[in-house]
Amino acid sequence: MEASHENSIKIVEVTKISPSKLSAKHNNLIHLTCFDMIWIKFHPVERLFFYEFTSSSDFILHSLKHSLSLALSYYLPLAGQLTWGPHDPKPYILCSPTDSVSLVVAETIINADDDDDDDHNNFHKLCSKGNIVKATALRRYAPSLHISDEAATIISLQITFFPGFGFCIGIAAHHGVLDAKSTIMFMKSWAYLCQKLVLNQQIDHLLPANLHPHLDRTVIKDPTGKLDMFHLNNSLKLAARINPGGNHRSLRVLGTESAPDQVRATFDLSPQDINTIREKIMSTLNHNDDYLHLSSFTVTYAHAIVCFVKAKALENNVKINFLFSVDFRSRLVPPVPANYFGNCVGPDKMITLESKDIIGEEGLVIVARNISDSLKNLGKYGYFERVQEVSDSLSNCERSPLRPISPAGSHKLEVYGVDFGWGRPRKVDIVYIDQANSFSIAESRDKSGGIEIGLVMKNQVELQAFASLFL
């Protein structure tokens, strides 16, 4: 096909990849759960996986296409469509024998008239930690979902080649259908099958147990039978607050364009760094303090919030809202299988503090204490017991000039284990953190046990201020 040029990228091919084999029961309707409805209006989850060349681009592309078709045969709902007709009370997934997934194949080009090429098409700069790049630099490597009021694709994929350097695999996933754990499980399954092809190994009939998706959504037991509509209505109310004039009974998701001056960078905390921060928190505790849950997540997130607020140079009385989401697979009664495919994450209560408390001398321990208390409450009460309480905290949070701060991803997902047969990723980025005050969190690539933080800030001054505080 004839290549098209846009924004220093040459679109080489736009194609559809179908599952390699279809189940006899493939023509079916899949109901969404209460966990799915929480995220139905949220922006798609967009991730980029950067790899260095170790084979020819033709061989890489052929292997990726073939193994993608094989992988989709295990993950049939991904090739389906999210549907919400005018007479349907709520959205659902519709699968049919003609289902497929959109795949864009692109190649970077050098445009002498594009001042941004140093950011946009410099493979090594995009893959390096600590380098500050424009937030828009990653957007061109992320595919888009096709979404209307009544229908939405569930995933889209893009493979972009950087001639002479490497390639990037981008995935956009509808958050109303699957969470980060399910997205990474799919990527690992695709990578597992591709690796078999690359190494000329026989492809087994079954994926390993940890990668074989549990597709039965009836394992999510809603004790009231009404939580799906409760969360759907709350999602629509949120959309109405953010966009008062829009059509809210719609599958169109919330989101904003990246501001042109936004910049992003990635930073690493080693296990030693995390332990140093933990010891700093413990040294400021008094004897009357309850036991704090100072996990690597608690310590890293608390440190990131303090550095973020300080870098913003806010006035003392600004309200700062922050929260985090929790994977409930092992927390429900009965527990949901670890390989459950869908959404099984939910937000915890909103935490609100004043900026003066966060940037003060005891700011780190105050933030850590609040995160620790939330985690301890999860152990006491679970999810269903606190649905209304959590919902009220999100609806009634204090007004603030900043959007609520939240982490995206987890250092437990092992995103750097997605190896298609050409080695581990050089870099993994979550693109959509440019839409809100989110930190991306992942394990460190070097297998040290550290944590990697990705961050988008309003401008370079703020991001440099954050870096000086964080490291």
Side-chain angles (χ1 to χ4, degrees):
M1 64 177 291
E2 184 179 350
S4 65
H5 298 251
E6 183 179 356
N7 293 331
S8 302
I9 282 212
K10 178 171 66 176
I11 304 299
V12 178
E13 180 183 5
V14 179
T15 188
K16 299 283 188 181
I17 304 294
S18 299
S20 63
K21 54 184 178 180
L22 297 177
S23 164
K25 298 182 179 179
H26 187 47
N27 208 336
N28 63 344
L29 180 153
I30 301 172
H31 292 287
L32 299 181
T33 72
C34 56
F35 285 107
D36 296 322
M37 294 301 187
I38 295 172
W39 308 104
I40 198 73
K41 298 293 286 187
F42 276 68
H43 41 66
V45 179
E46 304 153 321
R47 271 187 175 82
L48 303 179
F49 298 78
F50 291 89
Y51 298 87
E52 290 183 308
F53 273 143
T54 59
S55 299
S56 72
S57 57
D58 287 343
F59 177 68
I60 289 171
L61 183 57
H62 172 75
S63 301
L64 288 172
K65 284 182 174 180
H66 185 186
S67 55
L68 174 59
S69 178
L70 294 172
L72 289 172
S73 68
Y74 296 95
Y75 292 81
L76 292 175
L78 291 184
Q81 192 171 67
L82 193 58
T83 302
W84 196 6
H87 303 296
D88 299 322
K90 51 193 175 185
Y92 56 89
I93 302 167
L94 184 63
C95 300
S96 72
T98 58
D99 287 344
S100 61
V101 167
S102 172
L103 173 66
V104 173
V105 180
E107 183 178 288
T108 60
I109 57 175
I110 299 299
N111 183 350
D113 297 325
D114 188 348
D115 293 334
D116 292 338
D117 267 337
D118 185 50
D119 273 3
H120 288 139
N121 291 335
N122 187 324
F123 180 80
H124 293 297
K125 185 172 183 180
L126 291 171
C127 292
S128 297
K129 305 284 179 69
N131 278 337
I132 295 177
V133 299
K134 291 187 177 181
T136 54
L138 297 184
R139 278 271 150 214
R140 63 183 61 185
Y141 309 118
S144 299
L145 297 180
H146 301 287
I147 302 178
S148 67
D149 288 337
E150 298 181 9
T153 50
I154 294 171
I155 64 166
S156 292
L157 297 160
Q158 179 172 322
I159 302 168
T160 305
F161 290 96
F162 295 74
F165 297 102
F167 63 99
C168 171
I169 300 176
I171 180 170
H174 200 297
H175 207 339
V177 176
L178 66 164
D179 58 20
K181 184 171 183 178
S182 294
T183 304
I184 298 304
M185 183 167 65
F186 166 70
M187 293 297 292
K188 288 181 178 179
S189 300
W190 179 14
Y192 172 86
L193 295 168
C194 187
Q195 196 171 118
K196 291 279 189 180
L197 293 174
V198 171
L199 300 177
N200 289 317
Q201 295 178 353
Q202 183 175 356
I203 295 179
D204 302 325
H205 291 293
L206 293 175
L207 289 168
N210 65 313
L211 297 180
H212 202 291
H214 186 99
L215 300 176
D216 180 9
R217 296 188 179 224
T218 63
V219 297
I220 302 288
K221 305 297 183 183
D222 174 359
T224 70
K226 301 177 181 179
L227 283 179
D228 56 348
M229 290 304 298
F230 174 80
H231 286 312
L232 175 60
N233 289 331
N234 280 347
S235 294
L236 300 185
K237 290 175 185 175
L238 174 65
R241 287 201 304 272
I242 294 175
N243 183 19
N247 173 21
H248 306 123
R249 194 194 182 282
S250 165
L251 290 175
R252 297 185 190 277
V253 297
L254 300 171
T256 57
E257 294 293 326
S258 300
D261 293 332
Q262 278 186 318
V263 288
R264 63 185 297 150
T266 304
F267 307 97
D268 260 334
L269 286 180
S270 69
Q272 294 75 23
D273 293 330
I274 294 170
N275 197 48
T276 298
I277 300 167
R278 183 182 289 114
E279 289 176 350
K280 182 179 178 180
I281 295 171
M282 294 177 67
S283 69
T284 58
L285 296 177
N286 59 56
H287 296 297
N288 296 323
D289 267 310
D290 292 332
Y291 165 76
L292 295 191
H293 181 84
L294 295 179
S295 64
S296 293
F297 168 77
T298 300
V299 170
T300 301
Y301 188 32
H303 181 56
I305 288 173
V306 171
C307 295
F308 178 84
V309 174
K310 286 182 176 180
K312 286 284 184 182
L314 301 168
E315 294 182 2
N316 285 339
N317 60 348
V318 174
K319 301 291 185 182
I320 306 296
N321 300 306
F322 60 97
L323 73 164
F324 55 89
S325 296
V326 180
D327 184 353
F328 284 95
R329 284 170 175 80
S330 63
R331 298 174 185 267
L332 298 182
V333 180
V336 171
N339 59 339
Y340 172 76
F341 187 79
N343 277 297
C344 200
V345 295
D348 196 43
K349 285 179 61 177
M350 187 74 75
I351 301 168
T352 302
L353 296 171
E354 288 197 344
S355 52
K356 65 180 180 181
D357 295 324
I358 295 176
I359 65 177
E361 188 175 337
E362 296 189 357
L364 183 60
V365 71
I366 290 172
V367 176
R369 184 184 292 116
N370 277 272
I371 297 171
S372 172
D373 288 346
S374 291
L375 290 169
K376 286 191 288 186
N377 283 333
L378 282 171
K380 291 179 184 178
Y381 304 110
Y383 172 72
F384 294 117
E385 293 81 0
R386 303 176 69 218
V387 168
Q388 188 64 56
E389 181 185 359
V390 170
S391 177
D392 289 345
S393 80
L394 301 179
S395 300
N396 303 322
C397 67
E398 300 273 3
R399 289 189 175 275
S400 171
L402 296 179
R403 290 186 178 189
I405 303 169
S406 63
S410 168
H411 62 294
K412 296 181 179 180
L413 292 177
E414 299 179 346
V415 295
Y416 283 100
V418 181
D419 181 353
F420 286 86
W422 302 290
R424 290 158 59 82
R426 270 285 308 275
K427 183 85 177 298
V428 180
D429 276 308
I430 297 180
V431 180
Y432 70 89
I433 61 172
D434 63 3
Q435 302 283 304
N437 284 335
S438 293
F439 305 107
S440 67
I441 296 183
E443 80 281 9
S444 292
R445 183 186 184 277
D446 61 9
K447 300 182 181 181
S448 66
I451 292 181
E452 177 183 293
I453 291 284
L455 178 69
V456 174
M457 299 287 280
K458 185 170 66 176
N459 53 49
Q460 191 156 328
V461 172
E462 284 190 356
L463 191 50
Q464 287 174 335
F466 177 89
S468 68
L469 296 162
F470 190 75
L471 300 174

